């Protein structure tokens, strides 16, 4: 009998191969042939699931964004459930976006490579914008909920502070990937915590 292959699972396997190639060699090297070799497949098998190179890359970007979004949503439920220290819980939640362990470092490295590539590759621009906006939606929500609880200083411009917090996360991610010796995970979390403390009532 012919082997039955789960198409969804195989597409995710190929996306993971895309991530490994990009992390090791960069976006420009993530060709159909290179990804097929990384996944242990023949190039025809990859073409069976992705008609074009662009389709494969866009699917990989979307997969990465969906994984991070799902993890943050799941973590938010547990982090904020009955915690007495909302500030520390917020630090823990936002730190999910920082390269503080192997999984998150790999995600951050690949994401930064995608972001740079999106400047000159229109097919990646929409996904890059979706993640950019997702980070800002998260910071807006964290600050709006804290403000509703009376935890923030009165008179803050929440839209501006949410953008500033998101920009800080972007910078900490970049620093953590490009200069991990200068910006280790604990220091990155301390910087994030200090920023949130500066907004407290």
């Amino acid at each position: 009998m012919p082997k039955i292959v789960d198409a969804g699972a195989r597409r995710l396997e190929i996306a993971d191969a895309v991530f490994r190639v990009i992390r090791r060699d960069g976006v420009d090297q993530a060709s159909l042939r290179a990804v097929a070799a990384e996944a242990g497949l023949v190039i025809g098998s990859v073409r069976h699931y992705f008609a074009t190179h662009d389709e494969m890359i866009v699917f990989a970007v979307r997969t990465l964004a969906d994984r991070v979004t799902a993890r943050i949503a799941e973590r938010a439920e547990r982090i904020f459930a009955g915690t007495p220290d909302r500030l520390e819980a917020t630090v823990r939640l936002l730190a999910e976006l920082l390269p503080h362990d192997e999984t998150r470092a790999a995600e951050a490295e690949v994401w930064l490579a995608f972001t740079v590539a999106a400047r000159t590759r229109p097919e990646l621009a929409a996904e890059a914008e979706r993640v950019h906006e997702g980070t800002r939606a998260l910071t807006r929500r964290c600050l709006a909920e804290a403000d509703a609880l009376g935890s923030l200083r009165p008179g803050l411009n929440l839209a501006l502070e949410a953008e500033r917090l998101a920009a800080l996360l972007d910078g900490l991610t970049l620093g953590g990937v490009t200069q991990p010796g200068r910006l280790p995970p604990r220091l990155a979390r301390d910087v994030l915590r200090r920023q949130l403390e500066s907004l407290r009532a």
Side-chain angles (χ1 to χ4, degrees):
M1 291 181 63
K3 183 179 179 181
I4 299 175
V5 177
D6 182 324
R10 179 54 57 85
R11 284 166 66 88
L12 291 176
E13 288 175 15
I14 293 169
D16 285 332
V18 172
F19 301 150
R20 293 193 298 273
V21 172
I22 289 174
R23 192 179 185 198
R24 185 179 63 239
D25 303 320
V27 175
D28 290 343
Q29 300 304 311
S31 65
L32 287 168
R33 188 174 303 281
V35 170
E38 181 68 28
L41 301 170
V42 297
I43 192 170
S45 294
V46 175
R47 289 188 184 279
H48 176 74
Y49 297 100
F50 300 101
T52 66
H53 173 265
D54 287 352
E55 182 184 333
M56 178 184 71
I57 296 296
V58 169
F59 177 81
V61 179
R62 190 171 298 134
T63 297
L64 177 61
D66 289 346
R67 284 179 181 172
V68 173
T69 300
R71 187 179 69 238
I72 288 175
E74 186 270 334
R75 292 276 292 166
E77 293 292 328
R78 292 191 286 116
I79 286 173
F80 288 109
T83 180
D85 189 344
R86 187 171 185 88
L87 183 139
E88 192 58 34
T90 303
V91 171
R92 288 170 55 202
L93 179 64
L94 295 179
E96 287 290 317
L97 298 173
L98 303 179
H100 63 79
D101 61 19
E102 178 61 23
T103 296
R104 287 153 188 78
E107 290 172 347
E109 289 171 17
V110 172
W111 177 247
L112 286 174
F114 277 136
T115 301
V116 172
R119 289 183 58 251
T120 56
R121 297 178 64 168
E123 72 275 10
L124 300 179
E127 289 303 317
E129 176 59 27
R130 183 166 75 99
V131 174
H132 179 86
E133 176 53 31
T135 300
R136 277 132 187 90
L138 179 62
T139 58
R140 287 194 296 268
R141 179 180 175 186
C142 286
L143 294 185
E145 291 180 359
D147 189 53
L149 293 170
S151 301
L152 302 184
R153 287 188 284 112
L156 288 174
N157 181 331
L158 292 186
L160 179 63
E161 295 300 339
E163 184 62 36
R164 187 160 71 137
L165 182 55
L168 177 66
L169 290 167
D170 289 344
L172 292 174
T173 300
L174 178 63
V177 168
T178 61
Q179 297 286 326
R182 292 178 180 272
L183 190 62
R186 177 171 292 186
L187 178 57
R189 286 194 296 271
D190 286 346
V191 171
L192 175 58
R193 184 178 296 107
R194 182 66 188 90
Q195 173 61 21
L196 292 169
E197 286 173 347
S198 74
L199 304 178
R200 295 178 95 171

